[in-house]
Amino acid sequence: MNLEDFLSDTRSQLEERLLASFAAPRSERLRTAIHYSLLNGGKRLRPALVRAAALAAGNDTQDWLVPAMALEMVHVYSLVHDDLPAMDNDDLRRGKATNHKAFDEATAILAGDALQSEAFAILADDEHLTDRQARQMIAQLSRAAGANGMVGGQMIDLQSEQQKLTLEQLETLHTLKTGALIQAALRLGALCHSQADPALLQALDDYGHALGLAFQITDDILDVTASTLVLGKPSGSDLASDKATYVSLLGLDGARQQADEQGRLALAALARVGLDSQSLMGQLAEYVIQRDY
Amino acid sequence: MNLEDFLSDTRSQLEERLLASFAAPRSERLRTAIHYSLLNGGKRLRPALVRAAALAAGNDTQDWLVPAMALEMVHVYSLVHDDLPAMDNDDLRRGKATNHKAFDEATAILAGDALQSEAFAILADDEHLTDRQARQMIAQLSRAAGANGMVGGQMIDLQSEQQKLTLEQLETLHTLKTGALIQAALRLGALCHSQADPALLQALDDYGHALGLAFQITDDILDVTASTLVLGKPSGSDLASDKATYVSLLGLDGARQQADEQGRLALAALARVGLDSQSLMGQLAEYVIQRDY
């Protein structure tokens, strides 16, 4: 399967399952708000990473699906909360009103909270997983999401507005805010195989670290080079808010070099376990760096 | 051990462990905000229920501690989010500034988010639990916290402001908003014993349902009868906001009768498994109904 088909098939399988989630809701409004953000046409990169890692670990069944849903639920909850007025105060996300604009702030907070709970609930309930797999996946995902992962990264990001960050501090921030969840996607995928090779796990960790940074650097570049229409959110918003980015620290060319360097590191990690640039993982790295939105 | 000693010993063991939580933080501000709410002198009723249920199921080890911490983390996260301006907009909680008043809204949102992640992380990591126990506890806690539990109850609560609720609708609301987590506390406690008696589990569920309602009815009564100083938050706030309560629907005497009735139901459930009103569980029910703050 080529990358385009892989991504499209992953999206369609995932979204069918997401559409069926939160069935029999006690509050119809809460379900509507959750589905509004959960089914908003995202790229589904993290679910694709779960599936690709499961394949790399030797599991070609449908076991990737529930872990991928859990990953996406945590990712979407973080977007809904990050968009809130008290946080990044964004009105648009992928060309549509953000959750608190389409509903209200209270609903957006609760939708995010419920998405986080549900991520762990579906892993705990997934009949494809042994008790050990479910427990390990929940441990990985909760640590990646929490105070020393994604949420910690967002806190540091908010604290560092209008501050001159060093390149090292910027890297730490994004390793937590974006990288932790990307690494968790790969680990959950690998855990779909009950006895994944430790060398593969280490390679996926290194690949995920580089991929997370490449993703963020590309985001910073797109904020400067892409139009609002293509991005689905106001372009140039980082510059306007005087935020430290790879572009503000390194310039546009320097940032592009840095993205290429992280792409190279990602491929080098894959090469250690015999995966080349034409493997799914290799193509995914290329996709992250070359994407134009 | 009498009830007072049991509650005080539970509080002190629990708080020692909570104080040690979130060690080695990536953001000191996030940790400070989390600890501010986590160690704010709560009654620790839910942890006491975890411990009492573990004892009732025949486990007298320290296995209750991590599940009790997880329960309290979810409870505290919900308080931090419920106090936000977009939700109940409360400035005071237990006589102290609420989290977003002491810090800011973004920090309060993130502190709550991180507390929820950590609750599942510590259960997944707890070495006292088998894989099966950890998984079952996470399943119970996440379902109780989520869209068809606590968060769903809070959503219905927000939607029903300025509406005339029936007694049945009010009961549904509180069964989700307060009751689900109280029932989860009892189930996690019972799950500390790897093969708890199904009759005991059913009795604890019924006890928890009645206790949750008794707790809420007593809250409604205290809102009218207790002073702001004793409550640690403005008294009469339900009346001021024109919210449906047991007192507004049944009057003060009717609400007191209803609290007593739920207490009776709680004791009847215990009696089915040979626990009388002088058992820890029995005394806890009495404590919930007789409390004056």
Side-chain angles (χ1 to χ4, degrees):
Chain A
M1 209 185 304
N2 67 33
L3 184 67
E4 207 175 308
D5 291 344
F6 177 76
L7 287 173
S8 141
D9 182 70
T10 300
R11 261 198 302 273
S12 99
Q13 288 200 52
L14 181 84
E15 290 179 0
E16 190 187 325
R17 292 290 295 268
L18 291 178
L19 200 59
S21 67
F22 295 92
R26 301 303 288 254
S27 163
E28 193 55 49
R29 179 178 174 84
L30 184 60
R31 178 183 196 259
T32 306
I34 288 170
H35 274 204
Y36 178 83
S37 289
L38 202 50
L39 293 151
N40 67 348
K43 293 182 284 292
R44 314 299 188 186
L45 174 65
R46 290 157 195 79
L49 290 171
V50 174
R51 189 181 184 186
L55 283 168
N59 182 326
D60 62 358
T61 70
Q62 296 297 89
D63 291 356
W64 63 275
L65 248 174
V66 171
M69 287 171 71
L71 241 302
E72 194 67 4
M73 284 177 182
V74 169
H75 173 56
V76 169
Y77 118 65
S78 79
L79 299 180
V80 172
H81 281 191
D82 285 2
D83 286 339
L84 286 166
M87 303 262 247
D88 299 345
N89 194 21
D90 283 318
D91 292 351
L92 282 177
R93 158 90 46 198
R94 294 176 190 141
K96 282 168 62 184
T98 46
N99 198 293
H100 64 275
K101 281 283 167 183
F103 298 88
D104 56 45
E105 281 184 54
T107 305
I109 294 167
L110 292 174
D113 288 344
L115 276 164
Q116 183 172 195
S117 306
E118 187 71 8
F120 298 110
I122 61 174
L123 284 174
D125 286 348
D126 183 12
E127 290 171 5
H128 292 97
L129 306 176
T130 65
D131 293 341
R132 178 120 211 101
Q133 283 174 307
R135 181 185 197 165
Q136 287 179 327
M137 287 187 187
I138 290 163
Q140 291 293 343
L141 185 57
S142 57
R143 291 275 171 233
N148 279 356
M150 185 182 74
V151 168
Q154 173 68 358
M155 185 80 238
I156 295 171
D157 199 6
L158 291 172
Q159 284 180 269
S160 55
E161 270 171 23
Q162 273 113 28
Q163 276 185 32
K164 284 248 173 282
L165 292 187
T166 64
L167 193 61
E168 199 189 334
Q169 288 172 319
L170 190 66
E171 188 172 317
T172 300
L173 188 170
H174 291 304
T175 299
L176 297 175
K177 186 175 169 176
T178 314
L181 211 56
I182 285 180
Q183 286 189 312
L186 294 159
R187 289 184 192 171
L188 262 61
L191 284 167
C192 286
H193 193 287
S194 56
Q195 297 211 316
D197 173 15
L200 177 70
L201 290 174
Q202 186 59 54
L204 290 180
D205 251 25
D206 297 344
Y207 167 84
H209 181 80
L211 197 71
L213 288 175
F215 186 88
Q216 189 56 49
I217 299 165
T218 307
D219 243 25
D220 288 354
I221 293 170
L222 288 172
D223 185 70
V224 179
T225 59
S227 69
T228 298
L229 190 66
V230 169
L231 282 182
K233 62 184 176 185
S235 68
S237 60
D238 294 341
L239 276 176
S241 70
D242 205 20
K243 225 171 157 174
T245 72
Y246 284 91
V247 177
S248 74
L249 284 176
L250 300 173
L252 199 50
D253 284 346
R256 284 192 174 122
Q257 278 171 31
Q258 193 53 233
D260 288 343
E261 169 64 10
Q262 294 300 332
R264 204 190 54 72
L265 289 171
L267 291 179
L270 296 181
R272 296 199 325 252
V273 288
L275 294 166
D276 66 17
S277 65
Q278 288 315 299
S279 66
L280 263 180
M281 295 283 203
Q283 290 185 70
L284 276 164
E286 180 80 6
Y287 168 77
V288 161
I289 294 161
Q290 299 301 330
R291 74 199 161 96
D292 52 12
Y293 70 98
Chain B
M1 207 184 305
N2 66 33
L3 184 68
E4 206 176 310
D5 290 345
F6 177 76
L7 286 172
S8 139
D9 182 70
T10 300
R11 260 199 302 274
S12 100
Q13 287 199 56
L14 180 84
E15 289 179 1
E16 189 186 326
R17 291 290 295 270
L18 292 178
L19 200 60
S21 67
F22 295 91
R26 302 301 289 256
S27 163
E28 193 55 49
R29 179 178 174 83
L30 185 59
R31 178 183 197 262
T32 306
I34 288 170
H35 274 203
Y36 177 83
S37 289
L38 203 49
L39 294 152
N40 67 348
K43 292 181 285 290
R44 311 300 187 187
L45 173 66
R46 289 157 197 79
L49 290 172
V50 174
R51 190 181 184 187
L55 283 168
N59 183 325
D60 62 357
T61 70
Q62 295 299 89
D63 291 355
W64 63 275
L65 245 175
V66 171
M69 289 171 71
L71 240 303
E72 194 67 4
M73 284 178 183
V74 169
H75 173 57
V76 169
Y77 119 65
S78 79
L79 299 180
V80 172
H81 281 192
D82 285 0
D83 286 339
L84 286 166
M87 302 261 248
D88 299 345
N89 194 21
D90 283 317
D91 293 351
L92 281 178
R93 158 88 51 197
R94 293 175 192 141
K96 282 169 61 186
T98 46
N99 198 293
H100 64 276
K101 282 284 167 186
F103 298 87
D104 55 46
E105 281 184 52
T107 304
I109 294 168
L110 292 173
D113 288 344
L115 275 164
Q116 182 171 195
S117 305
E118 188 70 10
F120 298 110
I122 61 174
L123 284 174
D125 287 348
D126 183 12
E127 290 171 5
H128 292 97
L129 306 176
T130 65
D131 293 341
R132 179 121 211 100
Q133 282 175 308
R135 180 184 198 165
Q136 289 178 326
M137 287 187 186
I138 290 163
Q140 291 293 343
L141 184 58
S142 57
R143 292 274 171 231
N148 279 357
M150 183 182 75
V151 169
Q154 173 68 359
M155 185 78 241
I156 295 170
D157 199 6
L158 291 172
Q159 285 181 266
S160 56
E161 271 170 24
Q162 271 112 30
Q163 277 185 32
K164 285 247 171 286
L165 292 187
T166 64
L167 192 61
E168 199 188 335
Q169 288 172 320
L170 189 67
E171 186 172 317
T172 300
L173 188 170
H174 291 304
T175 298
L176 297 175
K177 187 175 169 176
T178 314
L181 212 57
I182 285 181
Q183 285 188 312
L186 294 160
R187 289 184 192 171
L188 262 63
L191 284 168
C192 287
H193 192 287
S194 55
Q195 298 211 313
D197 173 12
L200 177 68
L201 291 174
Q202 187 57 56
L204 290 180
D205 252 26
D206 297 343
Y207 167 83
H209 182 79
L211 197 70
L213 287 175
F215 186 87
Q216 188 57 50
I217 299 165
T218 308
D219 244 24
D220 287 354
I221 293 169
L222 288 172
D223 185 71
V224 179
T225 57
S227 69
T228 298
L229 189 67
V230 169
L231 283 182
K233 62 184 176 186
S235 67
S237 59
D238 294 340
L239 276 178
S241 70
D242 203 20
K243 227 171 154 173
T245 71
Y246 285 92
V247 176
S248 74
L249 285 177
L250 300 174
L252 200 50
D253 283 346
R256 282 192 174 121
Q257 277 171 31
Q258 192 52 233
D260 288 342
E261 169 65 9
Q262 294 301 331
R264 204 190 53 72
L265 289 171
L267 292 180
L270 296 180
R272 297 198 322 252
V273 287
L275 294 166
D276 65 19
S277 66
Q278 288 315 299
S279 66
L280 263 179
M281 294 283 202
Q283 290 184 71
L284 276 164
E286 179 82 6
Y287 167 78
V288 160
I289 294 161
Q290 299 301 330
R291 75 200 160 93
D292 52 12
Y293 70 98

